Amino acid sequence: MNTLKLFALFFFVIFFAISPGGASAQLTVNDEYRLGPEDIIEISVWGDKELSREVVVRPDGGVSFPLAGDLKAGGLTVKELRDKLKERISEFVPDAPVTVILRKVEHPKVYVMGKVNNPKVLVMGQSMTVVQALAMSGGLSPFAESGSIIIVRKNKDGSQKVFPFDYDQLADGENLKQNILLKPGDTIIVP
């Protein structure tokens, strides 16, 4: 790949990373975010220091909390988990205000593997495109087949869908629609 193409792609990534519609380094999670494994949440019951702690969502989606016991958190929104906790705790502490705060998002991940400079698992704080994921993985190695990249997505029914990605076309400003938004669990494979 020539230097001009690399410069054009670098400019493209930087422009969209700092533009108002682009990605942001600040983590924001909307009310629809569903908790998942390894997410860190802070649970507190007002007025009781013994009932305040950070909790990690287990791989099975469960959490444990005093007076509430084990309950499923995976797949719930923060509000839904708060309501469940409040219901369980109210048997012991009636009308106690329960607060649940999402401290760290670890669940939505994408995987970048193959001939990139730094293959890795990326945590999606916000929406992320293929080019952004490749940039966060240190870019393509000199031996990468840049025109044959694929994105593998697992569907809810267990089947998989493959999206082709031609880095060279994108660097030339062509076929920009292939720079799709990634979904949690997507794997980018660079041959």
Side-chain angles (χ1 to χ4, degrees):
M1 182 176 300
N2 67 33
T3 308
L4 184 57
K5 283 184 180 180
L6 285 173
F7 177 75
L9 186 60
F10 175 76
F11 178 77
F12 177 80
V13 170
I14 296 301
F15 175 76
F16 283 101
I18 61 174
S19 69
S24 168
Q26 182 180 5
L27 176 66
T28 57
V29 178
N30 65 25
D31 292 338
E32 297 303 311
Y33 176 76
R34 301 279 172 185
L35 296 168
E38 301 177 28
D39 286 346
I40 299 172
I41 52 179
E42 180 181 323
I43 303 171
S44 60
V45 177
W46 188 79
D48 193 335
K49 290 186 181 197
E50 295 297 317
L51 294 177
S52 295
R53 61 190 61 181
E54 281 193 352
V55 179
V56 178
V57 179
R58 297 187 308 257
D60 67 355
V63 294
S64 298
F65 194 74
L67 301 182
D70 284 337
L71 63 149
K72 182 181 181 272
L76 300 178
T77 65
V78 170
K79 181 185 179 319
E80 290 169 342
L81 178 59
R82 181 181 58 236
D83 292 346
K84 252 184 160 178
L85 281 163
K86 189 172 185 172
E87 180 182 317
R88 289 217 186 159
I89 292 171
S90 68
E91 295 175 29
F92 306 99
V93 186
D95 300 324
V98 176
T99 304
V100 177
I101 300 170
L102 181 59
R103 286 289 177 205
K104 189 171 182 188
V105 175
E106 291 287 351
H107 170 59
K109 296 177 182 174
V110 295
Y111 306 85
V112 184
M113 58 184 289
K115 295 179 183 167
V116 291
N117 290 317
N118 189 11
K120 60 172 51 179
V121 177
L122 299 169
V123 176
M124 299 175 67
Q126 285 191 324
S127 59
M128 181 185 303
T129 65
V130 176
V131 170
Q132 290 168 333
L134 291 171
M136 292 171 68
S137 299
L140 303 179
S141 79
F143 305 106
E145 295 178 31
S146 56
S148 302
I149 299 169
I150 60 171
I151 297 94
V152 179
R153 178 172 295 159
K154 189 173 183 178
N155 297 317
K156 290 182 181 181
D157 65 1
S159 65
Q160 294 184 352
K161 183 171 182 176
V162 175
F163 299 90
F165 183 83
D166 187 328
Y167 190 89
D168 296 326
Q169 283 183 343
L170 193 79
D172 288 338
E174 300 169 4
N175 197 11
L176 300 178
K177 66 182 179 185
Q178 69 178 332
N179 189 27
I180 61 174
L181 282 176
L182 297 170
K183 292 188 177 180
D186 282 357
T187 302
I188 300 172
I189 302 171
V190 181

